[in-house]
Coordinates of all heavy atoms in Angstrom, one line a residue:
M171 N -92.8 60.9 246.3 CA -92.5 61.6 245.1 C -93.5 61.1 244.0 O -93.8 59.9 244.0 CB -91.1 61.2 244.6 CG -90.6 61.9 243.4 SD -88.9 61.6 243.0 CE -88.1 62.4 244.3
A172 N -94.0 62.0 243.2 CA -94.9 61.7 242.2 C -94.2 60.9 241.1 O -93.0 61.0 240.9 CB -95.5 63.0 241.6
P173 N -95.0 60.1 240.3 CA -94.4 59.4 239.2 C -93.7 60.2 238.2 O -92.8 59.8 237.5 CB -95.7 58.7 238.6 CG -96.7 58.6 239.6 CD -96.4 59.8 240.5
T174 N -94.1 61.5 238.1 CA -93.4 62.4 237.2 C -92.1 62.9 237.8 O -91.3 63.6 237.1 CB -94.3 63.7 237.0 OG1 -94.5 64.3 238.3 CG2 -95.6 63.3 236.4
G175 N -91.8 62.6 239.0 CA -90.5 63.0 239.7 C -90.7 64.3 240.5 O -89.8 64.8 241.1
E176 N -92.0 64.8 240.4 CA -92.3 66.1 241.1 C -92.3 65.8 242.7 O -92.8 64.8 243.1 CB -93.7 66.5 240.7 CG -94.2 67.7 241.5 CD -95.7 68.0 241.3 OE1 -96.3 67.2 240.6 OE2 -96.2 69.0 241.8
L177 N -91.7 66.8 243.4 CA -91.8 66.8 244.8 C -92.0 68.2 245.3 O -91.1 69.0 245.5 CB -90.4 66.2 245.4 CG -90.4 66.0 246.9 CD1 -91.4 65.0 247.4 CD2 -89.0 65.6 247.3
P178 N -93.3 68.5 245.6 CA -93.6 69.8 246.1 C -93.0 70.1 247.5 O -92.7 69.1 248.2 CB -95.1 69.8 246.2 CG -95.5 68.4 246.2 CD -94.5 67.6 245.6
E179 N -92.8 71.3 247.8 CA -92.3 71.7 249.1 C -93.3 71.5 250.2 O -93.0 71.2 251.4 CB -91.8 73.1 249.1 CG -90.5 73.4 248.3 CD -90.0 74.8 248.4 OE1 -90.3 75.4 249.5 OE2 -89.4 75.3 247.5
D180 N -94.6 71.7 249.9 CA -95.7 71.7 250.9 C -95.8 70.2 251.4 O -96.1 69.3 250.7 CB -97.0 72.2 250.3 CG -98.1 72.1 251.3 OD1 -98.0 72.7 252.3 OD2 -99.1 71.4 251.0
P181 N -95.7 70.0 252.8 CA -95.9 68.7 253.3 C -97.2 68.0 253.1 O -97.3 66.8 252.9 CB -95.5 68.8 254.8 CG -95.7 70.3 255.1 CD -95.4 71.0 253.8
V182 N -98.3 68.8 253.1 CA -99.6 68.2 252.8 C -99.7 67.8 251.4 O -100.3 66.7 251.1 CB -100.7 69.2 253.2 CG1 -102.1 68.6 252.9 CG2 -100.6 69.5 254.7
E183 N -99.1 68.5 250.4 CA -99.1 68.0 249.1 C -98.2 66.8 248.9 O -98.6 65.8 248.2 CB -98.5 69.1 248.1 CG -99.5 70.3 248.0 CD -98.9 71.4 247.0 OE1 -98.3 71.0 246.0 OE2 -99.2 72.5 247.3
Q184 N -97.1 66.7 249.7 CA -96.3 65.5 249.7 C -97.1 64.3 250.3 O -97.0 63.2 249.8 CB -95.0 65.7 250.5 CG -94.0 66.5 249.8 CD -92.7 66.5 250.5 OE1 -92.4 65.7 251.3 NE2 -91.9 67.5 250.2
L185 N -97.9 64.6 251.3 CA -98.8 63.6 251.9 C -99.7 63.0 250.8 O -99.9 61.8 250.7 CB -99.5 64.1 253.1 CG -100.6 63.2 253.7 CD1 -99.9 61.9 254.2 CD2 -101.4 63.9 254.8
G186 N -100.4 63.9 250.1 CA -101.3 63.5 249.0 C -100.6 62.6 248.0 O -101.2 61.6 247.6
I187 N -99.4 62.9 247.6 CA -98.7 62.1 246.7 C -98.4 60.7 247.3 O -98.5 59.7 246.6 CB -97.4 62.8 246.2 CG1 -97.7 64.0 245.3 CG2 -96.4 61.9 245.5 CD1 -96.5 64.9 245.1
A188 N -97.9 60.7 248.5 CA -97.6 59.5 249.2 C -98.9 58.6 249.3 O -98.8 57.4 249.0 CB -97.1 59.7 250.6
L189 N -100.0 59.2 249.6 CA -101.3 58.4 249.7 C -101.7 57.9 248.3 O -102.1 56.7 248.2 CB -102.4 59.3 250.3 CG -102.1 59.7 251.7 CD1 -103.3 60.7 252.2 CD2 -102.0 58.6 252.7
D190 N -101.5 58.7 247.3 CA -101.8 58.2 245.9 C -100.9 57.1 245.5 O -101.3 56.1 244.9 CB -101.6 59.4 244.9 CG -102.7 60.4 245.0 OD1 -103.7 60.2 245.6 OD2 -102.4 61.6 244.4
N191 N -99.6 57.1 245.9 CA -98.7 56.0 245.7 C -99.1 54.8 246.4 O -99.0 53.7 245.8 CB -97.2 56.4 246.1 CG -96.6 57.5 245.1 OD1 -97.1 57.7 244.0 ND2 -95.6 58.1 245.6
I192 N -99.6 54.9 247.6 CA -100.1 53.7 248.3 C -101.2 53.1 247.6 O -101.3 51.9 247.4 CB -100.4 54.1 249.8 CG1 -99.1 54.4 250.6 CG2 -101.2 52.9 250.5 CD1 -99.4 55.0 251.9
T193 N -102.2 54.0 247.2 CA -103.3 53.5 246.4 C -102.9 52.7 245.2 O -103.4 51.6 244.9 CB -104.3 54.7 246.0 OG1 -104.7 55.3 247.2 CG2 -105.4 54.2 245.2
A194 N -101.9 53.3 244.5 CA -101.4 52.6 243.2 C -100.8 51.2 243.6 O -101.0 50.3 242.8 CB -100.5 53.5 242.5
N195 N -100.0 51.2 244.7 CA -99.4 49.9 245.0 C -100.4 48.9 245.5 O -100.3 47.7 245.2 CB -98.4 50.2 246.1 CG -97.1 50.7 245.6 OD1 -96.4 50.0 244.8 ND2 -96.7 51.9 246.0
L196 N -101.5 49.3 246.2 CA -102.5 48.4 246.6 C -103.2 47.8 245.4 O -103.4 46.6 245.3 CB -103.5 49.1 247.5 CG -103.1 49.5 248.9 CD1 -104.1 50.4 249.6 CD2 -103.0 48.2 249.8
E197 N -103.6 48.7 244.5 CA -104.2 48.3 243.3 C -103.4 47.3 242.5 O -103.9 46.3 241.9 CB -104.6 49.5 242.4 CG -105.8 50.3 243.0 CD -106.1 51.6 242.3 OE1 -105.4 51.9 241.3 OE2 -107.0 52.2 242.7
A198 N -102.1 47.6 242.4 CA -101.2 46.7 241.6 C -101.1 45.3 242.3 O -100.9 44.3 241.6 CB -99.8 47.3 241.6
A199 N -101.3 45.3 243.6 CA -101.3 44.0 244.3 C -102.7 43.3 244.4 O -102.9 42.3 245.1 CB -100.8 44.2 245.7
G200 N -103.7 43.9 243.7 CA -105.0 43.4 243.7 C -105.7 43.6 245.1 O -106.6 42.9 245.5
M201 N -105.3 44.7 245.8 CA -105.9 45.0 247.1 C -106.6 46.4 247.1 O -106.5 47.1 246.1 CB -104.7 45.0 248.1 CG -104.0 43.7 248.2 SD -102.6 43.8 249.3 CE -103.3 43.3 250.8
R202 N -107.3 46.7 248.2 CA -108.0 47.9 248.3 C -107.7 48.6 249.6 O -107.0 48.0 250.5 CB -109.5 47.6 248.3 CG -110.0 46.7 247.2 CD -111.4 46.3 247.4 NE -111.5 45.8 248.8 CZ -112.6 45.2 249.2 NH1 -113.6 45.0 248.5 NH2 -112.6 44.7 250.5
H203 N -108.2 49.8 249.8 CA -108.0 50.5 251.0 C -108.5 49.7 252.2 O -107.9 49.8 253.3 CB -108.7 51.9 251.0 CG -108.0 52.9 250.2 ND1 -108.7 53.6 249.2 CD2 -106.7 53.3 250.1 CE1 -107.9 54.4 248.6 NE2 -106.7 54.3 249.1
E204 N -109.5 49.0 252.0 CA -110.1 48.2 253.1 C -109.1 47.1 253.6 O -109.3 46.6 254.7 CB -111.4 47.5 252.7 CG -112.5 48.5 252.5 CD -112.5 49.2 251.1 OE1 -111.6 49.0 250.3 OE2 -113.4 50.1 251.0
D205 N -108.1 46.8 252.9 CA -107.1 45.8 253.3 C -106.0 46.4 254.1 O -105.1 45.7 254.7 CB -106.4 45.1 252.0 CG -107.5 44.4 251.2 OD1 -108.3 43.6 251.9 OD2 -107.5 44.5 250.0
L206 N -105.9 47.7 254.3 CA -104.9 48.4 255.1 C -105.2 48.0 256.6 O -106.3 48.1 257.1 CB -105.0 49.9 255.0 CG -104.5 50.4 253.6 CD1 -104.9 51.9 253.5 CD2 -103.0 50.3 253.6
V207 N -104.1 47.6 257.3 CA -104.3 47.3 258.7 C -103.4 48.2 259.6 O -103.7 48.4 260.8 CB -103.9 45.8 259.0 CG1 -104.9 44.9 258.3 CG2 -102.5 45.5 258.6
R208 N -102.4 48.9 259.0 CA -101.5 49.8 259.8 C -100.9 50.8 258.9 O -100.5 50.5 257.8 CB -100.4 49.0 260.5 CG -99.5 49.9 261.3 CD -98.7 49.1 262.3 NE -97.9 49.9 263.1 CZ -98.3 50.7 264.1 NH1 -99.6 50.8 264.4 NH2 -97.5 51.4 264.8
L209 N -100.9 52.1 259.4 CA -100.2 53.2 258.7 C -99.3 53.9 259.7 O -99.7 54.1 260.8 CB -101.3 54.2 258.2 CG -102.2 53.7 257.0 CD1 -103.4 54.6 256.9 CD2 -101.4 53.6 255.8
T210 N -98.1 54.2 259.3 CA -97.2 55.0 260.1 C -96.8 56.2 259.3 O -96.3 56.1 258.2 CB -96.0 54.2 260.5 OG1 -96.4 53.0 261.2 CG2 -95.1 55.0 261.4
F211 N -97.0 57.4 259.9 CA -96.7 58.6 259.2 C -95.5 59.3 259.9 O -95.5 59.4 261.1 CB -97.9 59.6 259.3 CG -99.1 59.1 258.6 CD1 -100.0 58.3 259.3 CD2 -99.3 59.3 257.2 CE1 -101.1 57.8 258.6 CE2 -100.4 58.9 256.6 CZ -101.4 58.1 257.3
Y212 N -94.5 59.8 259.1 CA -93.4 60.5 259.7 C -93.5 61.9 259.0 O -93.5 62.0 257.8 CB -92.1 59.8 259.3 CG -92.0 58.4 259.8 CD1 -92.4 57.4 259.0 CD2 -91.4 58.2 261.1 CE1 -92.3 56.1 259.5 CE2 -91.3 56.9 261.5 CZ -91.7 55.8 260.7 OH -91.6 54.5 261.2
F213 N -93.5 62.9 259.8 CA -93.5 64.3 259.3 C -92.3 65.0 259.8 O -92.0 65.0 261.0 CB -94.8 65.1 259.8 CG -96.1 64.5 259.1 CD1 -96.8 63.6 259.8 CD2 -96.4 65.0 257.9 CE1 -98.0 63.1 259.2 CE2 -97.6 64.5 257.3 CZ -98.4 63.6 258.0
A214 N -91.6 65.7 258.9 CA -90.4 66.5 259.3 C -90.8 67.9 259.3 O -91.2 68.4 258.2 CB -89.2 66.2 258.3
G215 N -90.6 68.6 260.4 CA -90.9 70.0 260.4 C -92.4 70.3 260.7 O -93.2 69.4 260.9
E216 N -92.8 71.5 260.5 CA -94.1 72.0 260.8 C -95.1 71.5 259.7 O -94.7 71.6 258.5 CB -94.2 73.5 260.8 CG -93.4 74.1 262.0 CD -94.1 73.9 263.3 OE1 -95.4 74.0 263.3 OE2 -93.4 73.7 264.3
V217 N -96.3 71.1 260.1 CA -97.3 70.7 259.1 C -98.6 71.2 259.6 O -98.9 71.2 260.8 CB -97.4 69.1 259.0 CG1 -98.5 68.7 258.1 CG2 -96.1 68.5 258.6
D218 N -99.4 71.8 258.7 CA -100.7 72.4 259.0 C -101.6 71.2 259.5 O -102.0 70.4 258.6 CB -101.3 73.1 257.8 CG -102.6 73.7 258.1 OD1 -103.5 73.1 258.8 OD2 -102.8 74.9 257.6
L219 N -101.9 71.1 260.7 CA -102.7 70.0 261.3 C -104.1 69.9 260.7 O -104.5 68.8 260.3 CB -102.8 70.2 262.8 CG -103.5 69.1 263.6 CD1 -102.8 67.8 263.4 CD2 -103.6 69.4 265.1
Q220 N -104.8 71.0 260.5 CA -106.1 70.9 259.9 C -106.1 70.4 258.5 O -106.9 69.5 258.1 CB -106.8 72.3 260.0 CG -107.1 72.8 261.4 CD -108.0 71.8 262.1 OE1 -108.8 71.1 261.6 NE2 -107.9 71.8 263.5
R221 N -105.2 70.9 257.7 CA -105.1 70.4 256.3 C -104.6 68.9 256.2 O -105.1 68.2 255.4 CB -104.1 71.3 255.5 CG -104.6 72.7 255.2 CD -103.6 73.5 254.4 NE -103.3 72.8 253.2 CZ -102.0 72.7 252.7 NH1 -101.0 73.2 253.4 NH2 -101.7 72.1 251.6
R222 N -103.7 68.5 257.1 CA -103.3 67.1 257.2 C -104.5 66.2 257.5 O -104.7 65.2 256.9 CB -102.2 67.0 258.2 CG -101.6 65.5 258.3 CD -100.7 65.4 259.4 NE -101.5 65.2 260.6 CZ -101.0 65.2 261.8 NH1 -99.7 65.4 262.1 NH2 -101.8 65.0 262.9
R223 N -105.2 66.6 258.5 CA -106.4 65.8 258.9 C -107.4 65.7 257.8 O -108.0 64.6 257.6 CB -107.0 66.4 260.2 CG -106.3 66.1 261.4 CD -107.0 66.6 262.6 NE -106.3 66.3 263.9 CZ -106.5 67.0 265.0 NH1 -107.4 67.9 265.1 NH2 -105.8 66.7 266.1
R224 N -107.7 66.8 257.2 CA -108.6 66.9 256.1 C -108.2 65.9 254.9 O -109.0 65.1 254.4 CB -108.9 68.3 255.6 CG -110.0 68.4 254.6 CD -110.3 69.9 254.2 NE -109.2 70.8 254.1 CZ -108.9 71.7 255.0 NH1 -109.7 71.9 256.1 NH2 -107.9 72.5 254.9
R225 N -106.9 66.0 254.5 CA -106.4 65.2 253.4 C -106.5 63.7 253.8 O -106.9 62.9 253.0 CB -105.0 65.7 253.0 CG -104.4 64.9 251.9 CD -105.2 65.1 250.6 NE -104.7 64.4 249.5 CZ -105.2 63.2 249.1 NH1 -106.2 62.7 249.7 NH2 -104.7 62.6 248.0
L226 N -106.1 63.4 255.0 CA -106.1 62.0 255.4 C -107.5 61.5 255.5 O -107.8 60.4 255.1 CB -105.4 61.9 256.7 CG -105.1 60.5 257.2 CD1 -104.3 59.7 256.1 CD2 -104.3 60.5 258.5
G227 N -108.4 62.3 256.0 CA -109.8 61.9 256.1 C -110.5 61.7 254.8 O -111.2 60.7 254.6
E228 N -110.1 62.5 253.8 CA -110.6 62.3 252.4 C -110.2 61.0 251.9 O -110.9 60.3 251.2 CB -110.1 63.4 251.5 CG -110.7 64.8 251.8 CD -110.0 65.9 251.1 OE1 -109.0 65.7 250.4 OE2 -110.4 67.1 251.2
W229 N -108.9 60.6 252.1 CA -108.4 59.4 251.6 C -108.9 58.1 252.3 O -109.2 57.1 251.7 CB -106.8 59.5 251.7 CG -106.1 58.3 251.0 CD1 -106.0 58.2 249.7 CD2 -105.4 57.3 251.6 NE1 -105.2 57.0 249.4 CE2 -104.9 56.5 250.6 CE3 -105.2 56.9 252.9 CZ2 -104.1 55.3 250.9 CZ3 -104.4 55.8 253.2 CH2 -103.9 55.0 252.2
L230 N -109.0 58.2 253.6 CA -109.4 57.0 254.4 C -110.9 56.8 254.4 O -111.4 55.7 254.6 CB -109.0 57.2 255.9 CG -107.5 56.9 256.1 CD1 -107.1 57.2 257.6 CD2 -107.2 55.4 255.8
G231 N -111.7 57.9 254.3 CA -113.2 57.8 254.4 C -113.5 57.3 255.8 O -113.0 57.8 256.8
D232 N -114.3 56.2 255.9 CA -114.7 55.6 257.2 C -113.7 54.6 257.7 O -114.0 54.0 258.8 CB -116.1 55.0 257.0 CG -117.2 56.0 256.8 OD1 -117.0 57.1 257.2 OD2 -118.2 55.6 256.1
L233 N -112.7 54.3 257.0 CA -111.7 53.3 257.4 C -110.9 53.8 258.6 O -110.6 55.0 258.7 CB -110.8 52.9 256.3 CG -111.4 52.3 255.1 CD1 -110.3 52.0 254.0 CD2 -112.1 51.0 255.5
R234 N -110.6 52.9 259.5 CA -109.8 53.3 260.7 C -108.7 52.2 261.0 O -108.8 51.5 262.0 CB -110.7 53.5 261.9 CG -111.6 54.7 261.8 CD -110.8 56.0 261.7 NE -111.7 57.1 261.5 CZ -111.9 57.7 260.3 NH1 -111.3 57.3 259.3 NH2 -112.7 58.8 260.3
P235 N -107.7 52.1 260.1 CA -106.6 51.1 260.5 C -105.8 51.7 261.6 O -105.9 52.9 262.0 CB -105.8 51.1 259.2 CG -106.0 52.4 258.5 CD -107.4 52.8 258.9
C236 N -105.0 50.9 262.3 CA -104.1 51.3 263.3 C -103.2 52.4 262.7 O -102.7 52.2 261.6 CB -103.2 50.2 263.8 SG -104.2 49.0 264.7
M237 N -103.0 53.5 263.4 CA -102.2 54.6 262.8 C -101.3 55.1 263.9 O -101.7 55.3 265.1 CB -103.0 55.7 262.3 CG -103.7 55.4 261.0 SD -104.5 56.8 260.3 CE -106.0 56.9 261.2
T238 N -100.0 55.5 263.5 CA -99.1 56.2 264.3 C -98.6 57.4 263.5 O -98.3 57.3 262.3 CB -97.9 55.3 264.7 OG1 -98.4 54.2 265.4 CG2 -96.9 56.1 265.6
V239 N -98.6 58.6 264.2 CA -98.1 59.8 263.5 C -97.0 60.3 264.4 O -97.1 60.5 265.6 CB -99.2 60.8 263.4 CG1 -98.7 62.1 262.8 CG2 -100.4 60.3 262.7
M240 N -95.8 60.5 263.7 CA -94.6 61.0 264.4 C -94.1 62.2 263.7 O -94.0 62.3 262.5 CB -93.6 59.9 264.4 CG -93.9 58.7 265.3 SD -92.6 57.6 265.4 CE -93.1 56.4 264.2
T241 N -93.6 63.1 264.5 CA -92.8 64.3 264.0 C -91.3 63.9 264.3 O -91.0 63.5 265.4 CB -93.2 65.5 264.8 OG1 -94.6 65.8 264.6 CG2 -92.4 66.7 264.2
V242 N -90.5 64.0 263.2 CA -89.1 63.7 263.3 C -88.3 64.9 262.9 O -88.8 65.8 262.3 CB -88.8 62.5 262.4 CG1 -89.5 61.2 262.9 CG2 -89.1 62.8 260.9
A243 N -87.0 64.9 263.3 CA -86.1 66.0 263.0 C -85.9 66.1 261.5 O -85.8 67.2 260.9 CB -84.8 65.8 263.7
A244 N -85.7 65.0 260.8 CA -85.5 65.0 259.3 C -85.7 63.6 258.8 O -85.8 62.6 259.5 CB -84.0 65.4 259.1
L245 N -85.9 63.6 257.4 CA -86.0 62.3 256.7 C -84.7 62.1 255.9 O -83.7 62.8 256.1 CB -87.3 62.3 255.9 CG -88.6 62.3 256.7 CD1 -89.8 62.6 255.8 CD2 -88.7 61.0 257.5
A246 N -84.7 61.2 255.0 CA -83.5 60.8 254.2 C -82.9 62.0 253.5 O -81.7 62.0 253.4 CB -83.9 59.7 253.2
T247 N -83.7 62.8 252.9 CA -83.1 64.0 252.2 C -83.9 65.2 252.7 O -85.1 65.1 253.0 CB -83.2 63.9 250.7 OG1 -84.6 63.8 250.3 CG2 -82.4 62.8 250.1
P248 N -83.3 66.4 252.7 CA -84.0 67.6 253.2 C -85.3 68.0 252.5 O -86.2 68.5 253.1 CB -83.0 68.7 253.0 CG -81.7 68.0 253.0 CD -81.9 66.7 252.4
A249 N -85.4 67.6 251.2 CA -86.6 67.9 250.5 C -87.8 67.1 250.9 O -89.0 67.5 250.7 CB -86.4 67.7 249.0
L250 N -87.6 65.9 251.5 CA -88.7 65.1 251.9 C -89.2 65.6 253.3 O -88.4 65.7 254.2 CB -88.2 63.6 252.1 CG -87.8 62.9 250.8 CD1 -87.2 61.5 251.1 CD2 -89.0 62.7 249.9
R251 N -90.5 65.8 253.3 CA -91.1 66.3 254.5 C -92.1 65.2 255.1 O -92.6 65.3 256.2 CB -91.9 67.6 254.3 CG -91.1 68.7 253.7 CD -90.3 69.5 254.7 NE -91.1 69.9 255.9 CZ -91.9 70.9 255.9 NH1 -92.0 71.7 254.9 NH2 -92.6 71.2 257.0
V252 N -92.4 64.2 254.3 CA -93.4 63.2 254.7 C -92.9 61.8 254.2 O -92.4 61.7 253.1 CB -94.8 63.5 254.0 CG1 -95.8 62.4 254.3 CG2 -95.3 64.8 254.4
E253 N -93.1 60.8 255.1 CA -92.9 59.4 254.7 C -94.0 58.7 255.3 O -94.5 58.9 256.5 CB -91.6 58.9 255.3 CG -91.3 57.5 254.9 CD -89.9 57.1 255.4 OE1 -88.9 57.9 255.3 OE2 -89.8 55.9 255.8
V254 N -94.6 57.7 254.6 CA -95.7 56.9 255.0 C -95.4 55.4 254.8 O -94.9 55.0 253.7 CB -97.0 57.2 254.3 CG1 -98.2 56.4 254.9 CG2 -97.3 58.7 254.4
E255 N -95.5 54.6 255.9 CA -95.4 53.2 255.8 C -96.8 52.6 255.9 O -97.6 53.0 256.7 CB -94.6 52.6 256.9 CG -93.1 53.0 256.9 CD -92.4 52.5 258.1 OE1 -93.0 51.7 258.9 OE2 -91.2 52.8 258.2
A256 N -97.1 51.7 255.0 CA -98.5 51.1 255.0 C -98.3 49.6 255.0 O -97.5 49.0 254.3 CB -99.2 51.5 253.7
L257 N -99.2 49.0 255.8 CA -99.2 47.5 255.8 C -100.6 47.1 255.5 O -101.6 47.6 256.1 CB -98.8 47.0 257.2 CG -98.9 45.5 257.5 CD1 -97.9 44.8 256.6 CD2 -98.6 45.2 259.0
A258 N -100.8 46.2 254.6 CA -102.1 45.7 254.2 C -102.0 44.2 254.1 O -101.0 43.6 253.8 CB -102.5 46.3 252.8
C259 N -103.1 43.5 254.3 CA -103.2 42.1 254.2 C -104.6 41.7 253.7 O -105.5 42.4 253.9 CB -102.8 41.4 255.5 SG -103.9 41.6 256.8
T260 N -104.6 40.5 253.1 CA -105.9 40.0 252.6 C -106.0 38.5 252.8 O -104.9 37.9 253.0 CB -106.1 40.4 251.1 OG1 -107.3 39.8 250.7 CG2 -104.9 39.8 250.3
E261 N -107.1 38.0 252.8 CA -107.3 36.5 253.0 C -106.8 35.8 251.8 O -106.6 34.6 251.8 CB -108.7 36.2 253.3 CG -109.2 36.7 254.7 CD -110.6 36.3 255.0 OE1 -111.1 35.3 254.4 OE2 -111.2 37.0 255.8
D262 N -106.6 36.5 250.7 CA -106.2 35.8 249.4 C -104.7 35.7 249.4 O -104.1 35.7 248.3 CB -106.7 36.6 248.2 CG -108.2 36.7 248.1 OD1 -108.8 35.7 248.6 OD2 -108.7 37.7 247.6
N263 N -104.0 35.5 250.5 CA -102.6 35.4 250.6 C -102.2 34.0 250.1 O -102.6 33.0 250.7 CB -102.2 35.6 252.1 CG -100.7 35.6 252.2 OD1 -99.9 35.0 251.5 ND2 -100.2 36.3 253.3
P264 N -101.3 33.9 249.1 CA -100.9 32.6 248.6 C -100.2 31.7 249.7 O -100.4 30.5 249.7 CB -99.9 32.9 247.5 CG -100.3 34.3 247.1 CD -100.8 35.0 248.3
A265 N -99.5 32.3 250.6 CA -98.8 31.6 251.6 C -99.9 30.9 252.5 O -99.7 29.8 253.0 CB -97.9 32.5 252.5
T266 N -100.9 31.6 252.8 CA -102.0 31.1 253.7 C -102.7 29.9 252.9 O -103.0 28.9 253.5 CB -103.0 32.2 254.0 OG1 -102.4 33.2 254.7 CG2 -104.1 31.6 254.9
Q267 N -103.0 30.1 251.6 CA -103.6 29.1 250.9 C -102.8 27.8 250.8 O -103.3 26.7 250.9 CB -103.9 29.6 249.4 CG -105.0 30.7 249.4 CD -105.1 31.3 248.1 OE1 -104.4 31.0 247.1 NE2 -106.0 32.2 248.0
R268 N -101.5 27.9 250.7 CA -100.6 26.8 250.6 C -100.6 26.0 251.9 O -100.7 24.8 252.0 CB -99.1 27.2 250.3 CG -98.9 27.4 248.8 CD -97.4 27.5 248.6 NE -96.8 28.6 249.3 CZ -96.6 29.8 248.8 NH1 -97.1 30.1 247.7 NH2 -96.0 30.7 249.6
S269 N -100.6 26.7 253.1 CA -100.6 26.1 254.3 C -101.9 25.4 254.6 O -102.0 24.3 255.3 CB -100.2 27.0 255.5 OG -101.2 28.0 255.6
E270 N -103.0 25.9 254.1 CA -104.3 25.3 254.3 C -104.5 24.0 253.5 O -105.2 23.1 253.8 CB -105.4 26.3 254.0 CG -105.5 27.4 255.0 CD -106.5 28.5 254.6 OE1 -107.1 28.4 253.5 OE2 -106.7 29.4 255.4
Q271 N -103.8 24.0 252.3 CA -103.9 22.8 251.4 C -103.1 21.7 251.9 O -103.3 20.5 251.5 CB -103.5 23.2 250.0 CG -104.4 24.3 249.4 CD -103.9 24.8 248.1 OE1 -102.8 24.5 247.7 NE2 -104.7 25.6 247.4
Q272 N -102.1 21.9 252.7 CA -101.2 20.8 253.2 C -101.9 19.9 254.2 O -102.7 20.1 254.9 CB -99.9 21.3 253.7 CG -99.1 22.0 252.6 CD -97.9 22.7 253.1 OE1 -97.6 22.7 254.3 NE2 -97.1 23.2 252.2

C-alpha cells in the first residue's frame, strides 16, 4: 500500500509500491539495495510475467539476492495481489559489534 493509502488493482503497480516501500525501509535503517540478501514474492492471481520481470529488473539492477516467487490462492485481503518479504543485513550490525568487543 502506498503511503497515501492508495492500492491499485494492477498487481504490477502493487509490486512497484511494495518495492518503493522496501527502499524506504532500507534507507530508514541506513541500508541500501546492496544489503538485500533474500526476497520472497507472493502473487495472488494472474500477473503479467513480462511486466513483472521488467519492473523487478528496473528495481534490482545488477543485484541478484536469493529470490523465491510464489503464486498463492489469496493474501490477507482480496484487494492485495502482491506481498514481498525482504531480508537485508550489513556488517554495521550493533549486535555483531558488541560480540566482537567482548
Side-chain angles (χ1 to χ4, degrees):
M171 185 174 296
T174 61
E176 173 192 7
L177 185 63
E179 289 184 31
D180 179 57
V182 177
E183 289 181 37
Q184 286 188 20
L185 174 62
I187 291 170
L189 298 175
D190 291 344
N191 288 341
I192 291 169
T193 297
N195 282 298
L196 287 169
E197 290 173 357
M201 301 175 89
R202 309 169 313 186
H203 286 129
E204 290 81 3
D205 297 315
L206 288 166
V207 294
R208 180 161 182 74
L209 294 164
T210 304
F211 299 89
Y212 302 91
F213 292 95
E216 295 287 323
V217 179
D218 183 319
L219 183 60
Q220 294 299 334
R221 289 180 57 227
R222 183 189 78 191
R223 285 183 179 161
R224 186 172 39 251
R225 181 62 182 99
L226 191 54
E228 291 167 357
W229 188 72
L230 283 173
D232 292 332
L233 299 175
R234 294 295 176 258
C236 293
M237 289 190 280
T238 301
V239 178
M240 290 185 263
T241 301
V242 296
L245 293 169
T247 58
L250 293 175
R251 303 278 310 279
V252 177
E253 182 175 320
V254 183
E255 293 178 2
L257 176 63
C259 67
T260 179
E261 291 182 25
D262 297 333
N263 183 334
T266 303
Q267 292 172 355
R268 278 194 299 271
S269 65
E270 290 174 357
Q271 294 172 354
Q272 295 177 353

